[in-house]
């Protein structure tokens, strides 16, 4: 009887741990949506900002645009309850337009600040949309380092640049992956983005399905042990 009780207890403990992982907030990062675009294009993206605290609301989000790969044209979409402030920086190397003009400064930071009614409350998220282009052709990604401020004074710095083949950092910076214009990968990238296979949300879905698989495996082992012990006639320990 003690064997059966111990087996059930172990299975229950493993199941509880798996379900806790399934429900946890580990995937709630500040991200850019969609996660891919084509070099040289004009596009619109959204910075998705979830509130990860139980007792504090998000009041400000600062997004830094890379000045080593500047974008000539950047504009913000109005968002009720939020004020967007745009800052520009002088470029070390001016950008040349199709008309032959030179652009000597570019947007380096956008700060969205909430009024009292528009804070992102616990368990909620908000999206901050911008239009930008033409996207640079001399890099395969744009990294947007972001700072998230809560009304309790906490500042979370989403500034870590993930490296290929390494675990995801604790606070990854929102990253827009750029594909080459006219490459065979463009169609594939577009299709997978449309299907949600290359976005951070899809990665969360894959991990969730993995946890579900673990739960099913734990249940299978538990039932198997129970069946074997019943077949053995419940021999005393």
């Amino acid at each position: 009887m003690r064997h059966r009780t111990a087996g059930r207890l172990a299975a229950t403990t493993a199941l509880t741990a798996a379900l806790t992982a399934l429900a946890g907030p580990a995937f709630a990062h500040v991200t850019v949506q969609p996660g891919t675009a084509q070099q040289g294009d004009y596009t619109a993206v959204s910075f998705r900002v979830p509130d990860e605290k139980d007792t504090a609301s998000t009041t400000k989000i600062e997004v830094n645009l890379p000045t080593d790969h500047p974008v000539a044209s950047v504009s913000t979409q109005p968002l009720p309850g939020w004020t967007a402030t745009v800052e520009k920086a002088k470029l070390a190397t001016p950008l040349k337009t199709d008309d032959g003009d030179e652009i000597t400064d570019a947007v380096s930071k956008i700060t969205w600040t909430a009024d009292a009614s528009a804070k992102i409350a616990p368990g909620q998220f908000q999206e901050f949309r911008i239009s930008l282009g033409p996207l640079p052709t001399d890099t395969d990604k744009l990294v947007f380092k972001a700072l998230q401020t809560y009304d309790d004074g906490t500042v979370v710095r989403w500034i870590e640049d993930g490296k290929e083949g390494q675990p995801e950092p604790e606070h990854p910076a929102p990253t827009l992956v750029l594909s080459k214009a006219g490459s065979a990968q463009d169609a594939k990238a577009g299709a997978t983005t449309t299907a949600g296979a290359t976005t951070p949300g899809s990665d969360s879905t894959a991990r969730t399905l993995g946890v579900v698989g673990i739960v099913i495996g734990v249940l299978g082992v538990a039932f198997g042990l129970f069946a074997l012990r019943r077949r053995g006639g419940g021999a005393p320990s």
Side-chain angles (χ1 to χ4, degrees):
M1 181 64 69
R2 284 198 301 247
H3 284 311
R4 292 184 186 178
T5 302
R8 291 174 184 172
L9 179 60
T12 301
T13 301
L15 177 60
T16 301
L19 290 176
T20 299
L22 180 64
F27 310 134
H29 298 328
V30 173
T31 59
V32 59
Q33 303 290 334
T36 61
Q38 184 172 284
Q39 293 178 351
D41 273 3
Y42 285 80
T43 190
V45 299
S46 297
F47 296 99
R48 182 173 298 168
V49 181
D51 190 280
E52 295 186 311
K53 286 184 169 289
D54 295 329
T55 58
S57 299
T58 299
T59 59
K60 184 169 67 174
I61 181 74
E62 303 170 58
V63 175
N64 292 276
L65 282 70
T67 54
D68 55 343
H69 300 290
V71 179
S73 175
V74 178
S75 57
T76 61
Q77 179 170 294
L79 182 64
W82 291 83
T83 300
T85 303
V86 177
E87 298 180 27
K88 291 188 175 183
K90 203 77 173 177
L91 299 178
T93 303
L95 291 172
K96 291 189 179 295
T97 68
D98 293 338
D99 299 329
D101 297 330
E102 286 191 346
I103 297 176
T104 58
D105 54 13
V107 173
S108 58
K109 183 167 74 170
I110 305 174
T111 302
W112 286 272
T113 306
D115 63 26
S117 65
K119 299 177 182 180
I120 309 173
Q124 298 180 352
F125 75 93
Q126 184 57 270
E127 291 188 339
F128 303 86
R129 191 167 177 82
I130 67 171
S131 172
L132 70 167
L135 297 174
T137 57
D138 59 349
T139 181
D140 59 1
K141 66 179 180 179
L142 290 178
V143 178
F144 302 96
K145 296 184 178 182
L147 275 64
Q148 180 179 11
T149 301
Y150 290 87
D151 57 10
D152 65 355
T154 302
V155 177
V156 181
R157 300 169 63 83
W158 302 96
I159 62 173
E160 298 174 281
D161 189 4
K163 304 298 182 184
E164 187 175 353
Q166 296 183 8
E168 182 182 61
E170 184 177 0
H171 296 102
T175 300
L176 180 66
V177 176
L178 302 179
S179 61
K180 290 187 179 297
S183 70
Q185 295 179 344
D186 291 341
K188 181 179 179 181
T192 53
T193 300
T194 302
T198 60
T199 64
S202 67
D203 181 59
S204 298
T205 301
R207 296 183 191 182
T208 299
L209 291 175
V211 173
V212 172
I214 293 173
V215 172
I216 295 173
V218 169
L219 290 175
V221 171
F223 282 121
L225 290 173
F226 180 70
L228 286 174
R229 289 193 175 95
R230 288 197 62 182
R231 188 179 301 172
S237 60

